[in-house]
Amino acid sequence: MTAAGTTDGVGAMTRAAVLVEALPYIERWHDRVVVVKYGGNALAGAAPGEADGDALASFAADIVLMRSVGIRPVVVHGGGPQIGSLLARLGRASRFVDGLRVTDAETLDAVRMVLLGQVNPDLVAAINVRGPVAVGLSGADGRLLVTRPVDPELGFVGDVAEVNSDVLEHLLGRRFVPVVATVGVDEAGQAHNINADTAAGAVAEALRASKLIYLTDVEGIRQDPDDPSSLVPTLSADELDGLIASGVVTSGMVPKAVSCLRAIRNGVGQAHILDGRIPHALLLEIFTDEGIGTMVTLGGGPAR
Amino acid sequence: MTAAGTTDGVGAMTRAAVLVEALPYIERWHDRVVVVKYGGNALAGAAPGEADGDALASFAADIVLMRSVGIRPVVVHGGGPQIGSLLARLGRASRFVDGLRVTDAETLDAVRMVLLGQVNPDLVAAINVRGPVAVGLSGADGRLLVTRPVDPELGFVGDVAEVNSDVLEHLLGRRFVPVVATVGVDEAGQAHNINADTAAGAVAEALRASKLIYLTDVEGIRQDPDDPSSLVPTLSADELDGLIASGVVTSGMVPKAVSCLRAIRNGVGQAHILDGRIPHALLLEIFTDEGIGTMVTLGGGPAR
Amino acid sequence: MTAAGTTDGVGAMTRAAVLVEALPYIERWHDRVVVVKYGGNALAGAAPGEADGDALASFAADIVLMRSVGIRPVVVHGGGPQIGSLLARLGRASRFVDGLRVTDAETLDAVRMVLLGQVNPDLVAAINVRGPVAVGLSGADGRLLVTRPVDPELGFVGDVAEVNSDVLEHLLGRRFVPVVATVGVDEAGQAHNINADTAAGAVAEALRASKLIYLTDVEGIRQDPDDPSSLVPTLSADELDGLIASGVVTSGMVPKAVSCLRAIRNGVGQAHILDGRIPHALLLEIFTDEGIGTMVTLGGGPAR
Amino acid sequence: MTAAGTTDGVGAMTRAAVLVEALPYIERWHDRVVVVKYGGNALAGAAPGEADGDALASFAADIVLMRSVGIRPVVVHGGGPQIGSLLARLGRASRFVDGLRVTDAETLDAVRMVLLGQVNPDLVAAINVRGPVAVGLSGADGRLLVTRPVDPELGFVGDVAEVNSDVLEHLLGRRFVPVVATVGVDEAGQAHNINADTAAGAVAEALRASKLIYLTDVEGIRQDPDDPSSLVPTLSADELDGLIASGVVTSGMVPKAVSCLRAIRNGVGQAHILDGRIPHALLLEIFTDEGIGTMVTLGGGPAR
Amino acid sequence: MTAAGTTDGVGAMTRAAVLVEALPYIERWHDRVVVVKYGGNALAGAAPGEADGDALASFAADIVLMRSVGIRPVVVHGGGPQIGSLLARLGRASRFVDGLRVTDAETLDAVRMVLLGQVNPDLVAAINVRGPVAVGLSGADGRLLVTRPVDPELGFVGDVAEVNSDVLEHLLGRRFVPVVATVGVDEAGQAHNINADTAAGAVAEALRASKLIYLTDVEGIRQDPDDPSSLVPTLSADELDGLIASGVVTSGMVPKAVSCLRAIRNGVGQAHILDGRIPHALLLEIFTDEGIGTMVTLGGGPAR
Amino acid sequence: MTAAGTTDGVGAMTRAAVLVEALPYIERWHDRVVVVKYGGNALAGAAPGEADGDALASFAADIVLMRSVGIRPVVVHGGGPQIGSLLARLGRASRFVDGLRVTDAETLDAVRMVLLGQVNPDLVAAINVRGPVAVGLSGADGRLLVTRPVDPELGFVGDVAEVNSDVLEHLLGRRFVPVVATVGVDEAGQAHNINADTAAGAVAEALRASKLIYLTDVEGIRQDPDDPSSLVPTLSADELDGLIASGVVTSGMVPKAVSCLRAIRNGVGQAHILDGRIPHALLLEIFTDEGIGTMVTLGGGPAR
């Protein structure tokens, strides 16, 4: 289906072994909601040009395969790099405070145009090449994401105050794949920019998702940030608290880690941080015994 | 609810008379699909500034009231003036051939950014101030509008080749109000710009809508284009053919008139051309015996 | 539809204003049960002859319109004047104790023949001229109204001991309009005469109706019984208690007021006393912001 | 349950034999509609006074037992003797033309008062002593029986032009037992008197009943009207035609015979003429191999 | 249907009386589950040869008639004599400890072959001659009967540890008649022999059956075991405790009595011990006021 | 899960490739019925002792995995070797005519005891170790397999005259796995022995199965019976006709081949002949692009 490996030369015993391992997960995850945060960073490690397309196609294939075996995936996305790029073309600087983009009215226009008018329909189109299943949404649709202001200094930046998941649930109930751009609206209908990691966690909570998966450009959480061999495969919520407190989890990983913790503690079964650059990372996580990346559960432990 | 008139001083006899006239239409239109084309031109007659907001609020109120009494409205919109305005800001000229915008890759980017990232969410937000009912869609969502190229010279301009109305029907079945931006996708997933009048007709056909309403900035079709008193209240399809052939219907009205004819001849019950500048034009059309504007039906005649 | 007013000469702004006001009530009252007590007195103010027919036709039109927009009306009726008239023809006197008719076996025969054999089928036929929706019932049908004796001196006069609302609910579920004559049966199947005001309240309670409306020949409850300008538009239950205790509410209004209080305190949303002589009184009460007559709610206040 | 026989002294073998014979009929008649015409004549052979009550109680018991085993009985009744009696009390003569009562406005009032205000509620009450299952109806309810005039000379006497069986079907669907008084309405809502035998046949046809049973005061159709031993147990439609043509079937039996023929030829499975004076005649007919009285089927023959 | 008695010569009054008595039981037992234990002993009193066939045919007829009137019968059976007979043919002795068959591996093979390969399909076939309704099951099917070992000395003899009644309920829901052979499986899937009386009680409990009926070769429980006239028609659970404690209930009746008590105390409505040699014993028990045999209920008393 | 291969050392790329290939088959076969003929011969190639258990466990695992991903498997089995073995123990010879076992009454007893009392419950128990899903059936249950006699000389040997698949369909609808022993009954309820290959085809036809799979002890159909490298992976029905006519398909393979042809020509999608000795043969056939063994379809060709 995609170029990432063929089964030529794979023996019957190996095939049977992979199948015997994978099939029980079909039943386990049937009808379950899996929220996947797909970010610009997931693509960052890919080579320029066609490679991006390959990564997007592999991701789209995984989403369609997940759906085809009865899983209910929801895609949540931001688009930081692409917003920066439009602002640059318009001759405007990007300014950040504590990692959040300062968003005045014109910046907000750019955010909306990029996320709703470019990234979202591109993701939808990539998935729909394989069948008419993806439906793009923003936080304004059915007032999916209602915001409250974060800080006057930041302008139109909002926190998620409420998730109206009705429209998501109806689409999932009909086997559509919602693709959500993280622009919300406040009570008065005013648009606000929302951090996509936080929004993904809030959506997963509202849907009581079985899994929340962050596709990033690192292979997971490391015990020693500089040692690739120190990947931590499973963590309890308390252990992750400790890693954040001790500074082992840093910078861009912090909002993801915090969102994982909050989601896990509010009813989401499992949260994952995976390397989105690995072809078919989603399938490997979901359908193999060891999975990949780092999994956080309430109690931790090796049970997947 | 909106500033357009109050009932102070309206006597009981008058109120009762309006109600006795209006209530049977509730039953008649219950659960029926009504497709409303809302265009930039509908707003053109409004005074600048806050007046635009008033017109949008009155339109949004009508849509919500229609839905509240069991009608299933679908809003279809373009955004010509707003596209032109963004292109101007980007220093690019708008070029038209036979009324269709020549659309190269950069123009297409602007079209998508304006329709999906600005006009659509603004309409959705205006409706959703009154409750979380509107859901924005583009032609890429669920491959709602599949296009075929019109003419290589026009670039990414498409005709509607196929309407996949599943996502519309599921949303309508759950009492959501779909708001559709007329950007489609071809078989390969490539976006294309579509004429909004044509798209509205195609959507109405696919849904076998009971009514298709074009909100414009004229009061309907005139027997004598220069004589406001010559408004034609009802037309048969054949009569409208005649008015087009004889040149009575001209310029911007032609695509609307042609789309009306095609829809009527493919199962849509009634098509209307109304003056969107009249406050609550939709309610007056639907809930009064005479209606307003011009109505086209297969057989014509005064029966509404 | 009926002679009570036309919309000729009513301007678009006025029509729109009445509609904008009325339409939200359609949604609010959809599927709600409204019990309407229709009494001989409601017709008492009408001119003799054809005028009676007009009042009945206007009432029937309102019931059919209410049903057509999704309301579930139930009509409850007595027929005091008509019973008196048959007894007179048979040369028998009517005798009352505390406003209740002394009912021996022969009087009971007359009551049954008038209510079940004359008033009830006349009401049913008046409604059914507009469609086959009304179904006449007595308290014997499905043992709808089970009675206990009031006082041996009164003979076959009963209080409502139990309401078996099954048959009403099944008919309402199929969108029929039940028309109930207030003759009940005791445990042994013996028929009893029941006060119609009381029976209407008991039916409303059993159905947990949203509204209980008494159509009478006064415009509502007055602060000063002699001053028509002293109509009280809204009352809390406690305020109505006070008006009864202080003697402001008197004579024929007392059983209605007491039934209103009991119904409100047992789960009925609102109780109304209206002037049934006003054409389309029911529509004006239900579909306008101010309503007409006197409304009683648990907490009172202007909110309708 | 009723005095008509006990099982004391009936041996186990006999009981078992009756049960083995009867039980298969439970399945056969489950959910089937059985229309029973119950007339004043059915009671005519009973002794005066309490005996009438016994016959009514036995009839009511059979109806309730039929319903309890899943049959859907519908009772249709007239009330000739009782009408004559009221008219006599009012000092008015009964006049008949060809067996049909000449019905002016005052006679019609008397018919309605007797059938709807006396006979119908008495039947309903007799059945409902055993549970709240019977619901009285007239031909006005849901416009169940729509009439056309028979002959100007006869006044308000109507033939059945149309049966709107909706209300019957909904009540049957909820396991109620409809009891229908044969007063109909014409298109304008004007009441008309209908022959009860004819009405029963029309109702059976409209419901595509499995059985139509006339309870009379003779034991069935006799080959020789004067010879009680010449009872004909089964007849084909053609054979019954012959008996009518040859004058074997005479006078009061003719309308029943004609209605049987019409019903059988329009989809009713079996029509029966039974002696209603036999205690539990309905049970004996339905649950024994030989049945009682005369059965008419399309093809005739001994198969029951 | 079977040779056990005809209705020839049974008068109408008697037939009516039996029907009036029997019909209310149809409604009472409709959709209720009745578990019938059918044992080798039930046949023991029958004459050899064809007589056995008669008894089986009468039993099969009763089961089909019960089902035809809406009862949901479940048949549970053992097959002691037949097992003994096969073992004898194979030259192996039967050995019992406390009434339980010592069951080594070879004996278990014989038990399975007899119960599953002979008795069960014979019962199924006897019932299915009248229609394809019976379905044979063993305790292995859907792990219906999960066992725990009774005593190492007894070998593969198990107690019922758990009943998975899913498969029974699904078959009953589709109006099939399950016929259960009492061979169970332990957690590891190893087959075990189960006492059929005990298994019937456990099945009745799991299904919350309305009745549990043991068909035996005695007419019920006697106050004086040697006096046939001392049959006890009804017993409370406490009274039966007393009869067991005092030794009135002895030997083969003890497991039945204990199973009755346990079932009654765990939600089964009534337990019965009947003489299966009486033709149509099941019908006489279920459809007559006095029933036959001994009935045990929680509170005892004559109410059936 | 079973010892047949592990995924240790299988790289992520390989795993992903197997998954990407396998997952689409999940959707394709979801809710589809797959009939698997499991014969004594399938086990014949396995090593004696524990190896038999391994093959049975692998087969049971495959059935449970198929079911867990939404496939509806039906197992059909015979048991020739086991029957022979019991007959030998009983000192009786097996006699065959044209490959069919001559079956007198005693042989039939042995057939029933072995198939229903030994092979069937063993298969059921092997599957149910993994969950209570398998339910054993014989052709007598619900008269699943109705037979007609083949030849008087053969005794109680029957052909399938009719399949009553109700009980199968109800069990499949509840996600049970029916396991069918091929003993049928004739119209009179007399048991008959049926060839298991033929019965499997008849069951597949009756269920309009998507696949019919014969598990055998050869790897499929060979172009040259003596050359293992001449396996034919796909055949059209006509090609298989040719191979039978030309004698390439011989002896024991003929009844399977003929049953395949008949099933394919009566609505079964695909028929397969596989080597049941390969661990997880069923999974490899269903979830890999090439499949294994020989597939017969109406049109043939490589498309699987």
Side-chain angles (χ1 to χ4, degrees), chain E residues 90 106 112-113 116-118 121-122 124-125 128-129 132 134-137 140-143 166-167 170-171 174 176 188-189, chain F residues 89-90 112-113 116-118 121-122 124-125 128-129 132 134-137 140-143 166-167 170-171 174 176 188-189:
Chain E
L90 294 170
E106 277 196 55
R112 296 207 305 165
M113 289 196 293
L116 308 184
Q118 181 180 328
D122 281 351
V124 166
N128 284 353
V129 166
V135 174
L137 294 173
D141 293 322
R143 302 185 75 189
D166 273 16
V167 67
H170 294 324
L171 290 172
R174 295 297 192 158
F176 286 107
Chain F
R89 274 177 60 203
L90 294 169
R112 295 207 303 165
M113 288 196 293
L116 309 184
Q118 181 181 328
D122 281 351
V124 166
N128 283 353
V129 166
V135 174
L137 294 173
D141 293 320
R143 303 187 73 191
D166 273 15
V167 67
H170 295 321
L171 290 171
R174 295 296 191 158
F176 286 106

Side-chain angles (χ1 to χ4, degrees), chain A residues 25 28-29 211 233-234 270 272 274 284-286 288-295 297 301-304:
Chain A
Y25 292 108
R28 173 160 175 197
W29 296 112
K211 271 185 192 282
T234 61
Q270 309 176 341
H272 301 263
L274 307 187
L284 292 170
E285 162 43 37
I286 294 173
T288 63
D289 285 343
E290 310 100 64
I292 61 173
T294 297
M295 173 172 75
T297 59
R304 225 164 237 275

Side-chain angles (χ1 to χ4, degrees), chain D residues 10 32 43 67 77 106 121 124 130 136 150 153 156 158 162 196 206 209 213 216 234 254 262 281 285 295 297:
Chain D
V10 180
R32 301 299 183 85
L43 300 171
R67 175 186 169 280
H77 69 89
E106 276 195 56
V124 166
R130 297 162 191 279
V150 170
E153 193 191 344
F156 298 110
E162 184 188 337
I213 300 178
T216 67
T234 62
V254 172
R262 188 173 151 178
E285 161 44 37
M295 175 172 75
T297 59

Side-chain angles (χ1 to χ4, degrees), chain A residues 86 89-90 106 109-110 112-114 116-122 124-125 128-129 131-138 140-143 164 166-167 170-171 174 176 185 187-190, chain B residues 86 89-90 106 109-110 112-114 116-122 124-125 128-129 131-138 140-143 164 166-167 170-171 174 176 185 187-190:
Chain A
L86 176 64
R89 274 177 60 204
L90 294 169
E106 278 197 54
D109 281 353
R112 295 208 303 166
M113 289 196 293
V114 166
L116 309 184
Q118 182 181 326
V119 179
N120 189 272
D122 282 352
V124 165
N128 283 354
V129 167
V133 299
V135 173
L137 294 172
S138 87
D141 293 321
R143 302 186 74 190
N164 288 315
D166 273 15
V167 67
H170 294 324
L171 290 171
R174 294 297 191 158
F176 286 107
V185 282
E187 289 294 335
Q190 168 65 47
Chain B
L86 176 64
R89 273 176 62 202
L90 294 169
E106 276 196 55
D109 281 352
R112 296 207 303 165
M113 288 196 293
V114 165
L116 308 184
Q118 182 180 327
V119 178
N120 189 273
D122 281 352
V124 166
N128 283 354
V129 166
V133 300
V135 173
L137 294 172
S138 87
D141 293 319
R143 304 188 70 191
N164 288 315
D166 273 15
V167 66
H170 295 322
L171 290 171
R174 294 296 191 159
F176 286 107
V185 282
E187 289 295 334
Q190 167 64 46

Side-chain angles (χ1 to χ4, degrees), chain D residues 262-293:
Chain D
R262 188 173 151 178
I264 289 297
R265 287 180 167 138
N266 284 286
V268 173
Q270 310 175 341
H272 300 264
I273 295 170
L274 307 187
D275 188 344
R277 297 167 303 181
I278 300 175
H280 303 295
L282 291 170
L283 302 189
L284 292 171
E285 161 44 37
I286 294 173
F287 296 110
T288 63
D289 285 343
E290 311 100 64
I292 61 173

Side-chain angles (χ1 to χ4, degrees), chain E:
Chain E
M1 191 168 258
T2 59
T6 80
T7 60
D8 293 353
V10 180
M13 291 290 273
T14 299
R15 289 167 193 250
V18 174
L19 289 169
V20 167
E21 180 183 311
L23 294 184
Y25 292 107
I26 305 289
E27 186 170 34
R28 174 163 174 195
W29 296 113
H30 199 267
D31 278 342
R32 301 300 183 83
V33 173
V34 175
V35 173
V36 182
K37 160 69 197 333
Y38 186 78
N41 287 338
L43 300 171
E50 76 287 351
D52 265 37
D54 272 9
L56 181 57
S58 160
F59 169 75
D62 285 8
I63 292 291
V64 170
L65 286 169
M66 285 164 67
R67 175 188 169 279
S68 76
V69 298
I71 298 173
R72 306 184 176 207
V74 176
V75 179
V76 177
H77 70 88
Q82 295 85 343
I83 293 167
S85 153
L86 176 64
L87 288 173
R89 274 177 61 203
L90 294 170
R92 299 178 59 86
S94 289
R95 195 157 63 84
F96 292 87
V97 172
D98 288 338
L100 295 171
R101 181 186 297 276
V102 177
T103 308
D104 60 12
E106 277 196 55
T107 304
L108 181 65
D109 281 353
V111 166
R112 296 207 305 165
M113 289 196 293
V114 166
L115 294 189
L116 308 184
Q118 181 180 328
V119 179
N120 190 271
D122 281 351
L123 272 168
V124 166
I127 295 171
N128 284 353
V129 166
R130 296 161 192 279
V133 300
V135 174
L137 294 173
S138 86
D141 293 322
R143 302 185 75 189
L144 173 56
L145 299 171
V146 180
T147 58
R148 67 176 153 249
V150 170
D151 181 341
E153 195 189 343
L154 288 167
F156 297 111
V157 173
D159 254 353
V160 177
E162 186 187 334
V163 178
N164 289 314
S165 57
D166 273 16
V167 67
L168 287 183
E169 282 163 21
H170 294 324
L171 290 172
L172 289 171
R174 295 297 192 158
R175 302 199 66 206
F176 286 107
V177 176
V179 178
V180 181
T182 54
V183 177
V185 282
D186 68 10
E187 289 295 334
Q190 167 65 47
H192 281 75
N193 191 8
I194 314 178
N195 176 276
D197 289 334
T198 310
V203 165
E205 271 182 50
L207 294 172
R208 298 192 77 76
S210 294
K211 270 186 193 283
L212 165 63
I213 300 178
Y214 287 94
L215 286 177
T216 67
D217 57 354
V218 296
E219 80 268 28
I221 293 175
R222 296 178 185 167
Q223 194 67 42
D224 172 353
D226 298 327
D227 175 3
S229 75
S230 70
L231 174 73
V232 187
T234 62
L235 278 172
S236 71
D238 290 348
E239 289 165 352
L240 182 51
D241 272 334
L243 294 185
I244 296 171
S246 65
V248 170
V249 170
T250 53
S251 67
M253 191 59 80
V254 172
K256 291 172 181 46
V258 168
S259 295
C260 284
L261 281 173
R262 189 175 149 176
I264 289 295
R265 287 176 167 141
N266 284 288
V268 173
Q270 310 175 342
H272 300 262
I273 294 170
L274 306 187
D275 188 343
R277 298 166 303 181
I278 299 175
H280 302 295
L282 291 170
L283 301 189
L284 292 171
E285 161 45 35
I286 294 174
F287 296 111
T288 62
D289 286 343
E290 312 98 63
I292 60 171
T294 297
M295 173 173 75
V296 190
T297 60
L298 213 44
R304 225 162 237 277

